[in-house]
Amino acid sequence: MAPLSAVSGSSKGLQSRVFGDIEAQFQLEDDVLHSITTKFLEDFGSGLGEYGHPMAMIPTFVTGVPNGSETGTFLALDLGGTNLRVCEVKLLGNHQFTLRQQKYRVSDALKTGEASALFDYLADSVDAFLTTPTVSPTTAASNPFAGSSAIDEIDPEADPALPLGLTFSFPVEQTALNEGKVLTWTKGFSAKNAIGNDVVKLLQDAFNRKHLHVRCVALVNDTVGALLSRAYTAGGCLLGAIFGTGTNGAYVEKVENIRKLGDHPARKNGGDMVVNCEWGAFDNTRGVLPTTQFDNKLDRESINPRLQAFEKFISGMYLGEIARNLLLSLIDSAPKSLLFNGRSSKLLNLHYGLDTAVLSEIEAVWESGRHPDVEVKGVEGGHDPIAEEQQPEVPKPKINGFAPPAHFLDIDSHSPEDRSRLERIRSVIVQRMELADEDVTLRDAAIVRWASALVADRAAKLSACAVATVLVQTGHARLGGGVVPEEEHLIVGVDGSLIEHYPNFNARLRASLRMLVGEEVERRVDIGMAKDGSGVGAALCALQAIKQGL
Ligand code: BGC
């Protein structure tokens, strides 16, 4: 049984104030979410009108979405986070695909060293994948595309190289389906001599240096991949969004609205084009995002201060670090420490030492045995909230367990079930934060659970602003709710660890979305996983590129 810490009456009031104050800083009232969405819409407009805005609104030159009938076998390379993946994707033409993939770890040295070393590593990984003995029978021949419809469109005499689609999940100013300059690095990458260079050329040069017969024919962002792959499986899609290590969205825009394309031939044809928003850079000037001291510390100590402001409030790379900053401030608080008996651990003292996955684990324990989560469609074991006739009530996010601020500190008033959950959370904390058992009380467990919920709830609410902006921008919703033409489902493809695994992230996002655009529209929003979106999206883009003769 864990020790309960004794708190004297007078210090109790002071402590409640400290916790109440922190909680207030993280709360986002409805009117604030409205203002944020309004600013988001303005920035969409500026980014579509001119080049050079932080939220870059990048035209992707992807001018249509697939309908699921596409076929072919393609190589795809996916770089965007901790791992890089090489895949062979087989589009079966009936909304289905098969995929064989291999993950390779990207070390910090590669992320921050010379770009040529990073791209050499990418080429080596493709080489290893192609020569791996696990090649499936259909692809065992030296040309893995033999017999596919994609290869039928290539003259092997003229170009024996294997076509590959590159998913590159960083801001890139695209100038064609197979060309784009790196604008900036994000998510802990800072490889030298990449910014301003064509990423397709950087990769192709590496293939050539290694004498690999592979040709990079298409370049795609992971959000575009999510959009295309959800369209492939669902028959259509409006928005592809990532809520994972980083965050971003890509949506289908009318070409006439992408005013910065001027008289580019792509604009003259009219129609639609997918735009990669790069919404992680929203509000870099921090005009509307309510920032706490924990965010300021995170930003100051990051490798890209003053950049990716929105992403730093939302994504998996940062939520653990925000929570770590918050917990450290409680450990350090004077005259009396408010957490862990004033002790920390090596891990907790380490920059980025608290993984967002730990917050997720803690919230999962707290939620265990309660109402079922509203899972994202396509998550294993999840149900489809849209397909059900009666949509279940979206649970209200519980920041402090249905109680006024600081009530969670009163362990004696918790139900036996909640106390047992806190016991389990305490074990998770001791283990994952590498703290001494005697330094962690049940009350500490309640505090860490509360901190996790604060950080994640704010992230989900802000994510809803981004989704609402796309719905309003494309005329499918009005900010504040209101009548819009009766429509079928508004299909959204998502990917990323937060949306897939973080307890109640989707439910919290939907609750705020409902507040922003009204229940009628929110109910029609069909959020589903775009599993393997990066691989499938790159394959679909490679197909489009080949058809265009690139
Ligand atoms: C990048 C985006 C990417 C997102 C999700 C961000 O850091 O700038 O290009 O789509 O992460 O991976």
Side-chain angles (χ1 to χ4, degrees):
M1 175 56 116
L4 295 176
S5 61
V7 181
S8 77
S10 60
S11 65
K12 251 187 179 171
L14 182 71
Q15 291 183 24
S16 292
R17 270 210 302 287
V18 172
F19 288 106
D21 191 43
I22 293 175
E23 184 158 319
Q25 289 182 53
F26 277 90
Q27 296 294 3
L28 290 171
E29 301 302 337
D30 293 355
D31 59 331
V32 176
L33 294 177
H34 270 270
S35 318
I36 291 171
T37 312
T38 304
K39 178 70 170 40
F40 236 117
L41 280 160
E42 277 168 36
D43 286 7
F44 262 38
S46 317
L48 289 170
E50 291 159 14
Y51 289 95
H53 285 270
M55 196 159 73
M57 305 300 287
I58 298 165
T60 62
F61 300 89
V62 174
T63 50
V65 295
N67 60 15
S69 65
E70 296 76 7
T71 57
T73 308
F74 301 88
L75 267 185
L77 175 63
D78 171 19
L79 179 74
T82 329
N83 296 312
L84 83 90
R85 288 189 311 156
V86 186
C87 330
E88 179 201 78
V89 183
K90 197 172 248 186
L91 305 170
L92 302 176
N94 54 355
H95 300 283
Q96 291 181 17
F97 61 88
T98 58
L99 183 136
R100 183 178 70 86
Q101 64 166 326
Q102 185 68 50
K103 282 187 184 172
Y104 303 87
R105 199 167 173 78
V106 186
S107 67
D108 284 345
L110 284 170
K111 286 182 188 171
T112 55
E114 272 299 324
S116 56
L118 175 64
F119 283 87
D120 276 348
Y121 182 69
L122 300 188
D124 284 340
S125 305
V126 172
D127 194 13
F129 181 83
L130 288 173
T131 51
T132 177
T134 62
V135 171
S136 61
T138 47
T139 57
S142 60
N143 183 343
F145 300 97
S148 79
S149 58
I151 203 73
D152 291 347
E153 302 189 25
I154 302 173
D155 176 0
E157 296 287 298
D159 188 355
L162 303 177
L164 171 143
L166 168 65
T167 305
F168 188 75
S169 305
F170 301 95
V172 166
E173 191 62 74
Q174 225 163 324
T175 35
L177 211 46
N178 62 348
E179 193 181 74
K181 285 189 180 144
V182 184
L183 287 173
T184 172
W185 287 112
T186 59
K187 298 177 284 196
F189 280 68
S190 62
K192 298 167 198 71
N193 296 317
I195 308 294
N197 289 319
D198 177 5
V199 62
V200 173
K201 185 163 182 314
L202 287 173
L203 180 63
Q204 194 59 52
D205 286 351
F207 286 151
N208 297 347
R209 279 196 293 276
K210 311 255 163 205
H211 306 292
L212 280 184
H213 289 295
V214 177
R215 196 162 63 85
C216 181
V217 294
L219 169 66
V220 67
N221 185 266
D222 54 355
T223 53
V224 182
L227 188 152
L228 296 182
S229 86
R230 182 90 211 273
Y232 183 76
T233 51
C237 187
L238 173 68
L239 164 68
I242 306 289
F243 301 103
T245 309
T247 185
N248 186 16
Y251 73 101
V252 181
E253 180 57 277
K254 288 193 179 69
V255 177
E256 66 183 67
N257 290 343
I258 314 175
R259 299 181 311 281
K260 65 183 172 188
L261 280 176
D263 52 9
H264 190 289
R267 188 147 182 255
K268 287 198 185 125
N269 302 335
D272 295 330
M273 188 185 282
V274 175
V275 170
N276 165 15
C277 307
E278 287 297 339
W279 70 37
F282 168 66
D283 203 33
N284 275 355
T285 52
R286 305 214 231 163
V288 287
L289 289 173
T291 309
T292 67
Q293 68 185 88
F294 315 112
D295 301 300
N296 285 337
K297 179 168 178 289
L298 177 144
D299 185 57
R300 179 168 53 75
E301 294 175 346
S302 70
I303 62 166
N304 54 353
R306 300 281 147 181
L307 298 175
Q308 297 296 103
F310 191 64
E311 180 161 271
K312 285 174 180 157
F313 277 70
I314 288 188
S315 74
M317 169 143 186
Y318 303 106
L319 298 191
E321 181 65 2
I322 300 170
R324 191 184 73 95
N325 288 341
L326 196 167
L327 299 183
L328 287 179
S329 81
L330 295 174
I331 292 172
D332 290 340
S333 94
K336 188 177 182 313
S337 169
L338 295 176
L339 192 67
F340 302 151
N341 202 18
R343 306 270 158 69
S344 185
S345 64
K346 243 191 188 162
L347 193 64
L348 213 47
N349 285 341
L350 198 70
H351 199 198
Y352 292 98
L354 178 56
D355 204 305
T356 303
V358 178
L359 313 190
S360 178
E361 197 178 340
I362 287 168
E363 289 224 61
V365 174
W366 184 249
E367 292 304 320
S368 58
R370 299 187 205 271
H371 48 69
D373 194 355
V374 178
E375 302 242 25
V376 179
K377 188 172 173 178
V379 170
E380 229 142 280
H383 61 270
D384 173 358
I386 296 292
E388 289 174 11
E389 258 178 32
Q390 196 64 44
Q391 203 184 346
E393 182 64 14
V394 174
K396 293 221 170 17
K398 297 180 302 304
I399 290 301
N400 43 40
F402 307 112
H407 165 76
F408 66 92
L409 295 170
D410 186 3
I411 300 301
D412 288 339
S413 68
H414 281 54
S415 67
E417 292 77 21
D418 278 352
R419 284 174 67 106
S420 126
R421 290 184 181 104
L422 288 178
E423 285 282 1
R424 279 151 59 209
I425 289 175
R426 206 187 71 81
S427 305
V428 172
I429 293 170
V430 169
Q431 234 185 321
R432 302 270 184 258
M433 300 188 193
E434 299 178 3
L435 285 153
D437 191 78
E438 65 272 17
D439 287 332
V440 185
T441 62
L442 280 196
R443 191 168 165 280
D444 292 335
I447 291 171
V448 177
R449 199 281 306 167
W450 162 83
S452 306
L454 279 187
V455 171
D457 186 66
R458 188 183 66 163
K461 282 180 169 161
L462 290 172
S463 302
C465 294
V467 174
T469 303
V470 171
L471 297 180
V472 175
Q473 168 71 22
T474 51
H476 294 290
R478 301 220 170 94
L479 189 53
V483 190
V484 285
E486 187 64 25
E487 288 181 66
E488 286 300 294
H489 296 161
L490 301 166
I491 300 177
V492 177
V494 290
D495 203 354
S497 45
L498 278 181
I499 191 89
E500 186 175 5
H501 300 302
Y502 201 103
N504 282 329
F505 192 88
N506 185 43
R508 289 160 164 165
L509 186 158
R510 290 196 81 102
S512 294
L513 186 63
R514 179 188 301 179
M515 183 281 294
L516 285 167
V517 298
E519 187 170 351
E520 226 185 286
V521 173
E522 184 268 332
R523 285 173 77 94
R524 291 205 293 262
V525 177
D526 171 356
I527 300 180
M529 290 303 294
K531 271 307 245 177
D532 300 312
S534 294
V536 176
L540 286 159
C541 262
L543 175 61
Q544 215 183 94
I546 289 164
K547 283 187 174 159
Q548 287 179 21
L550 295 176

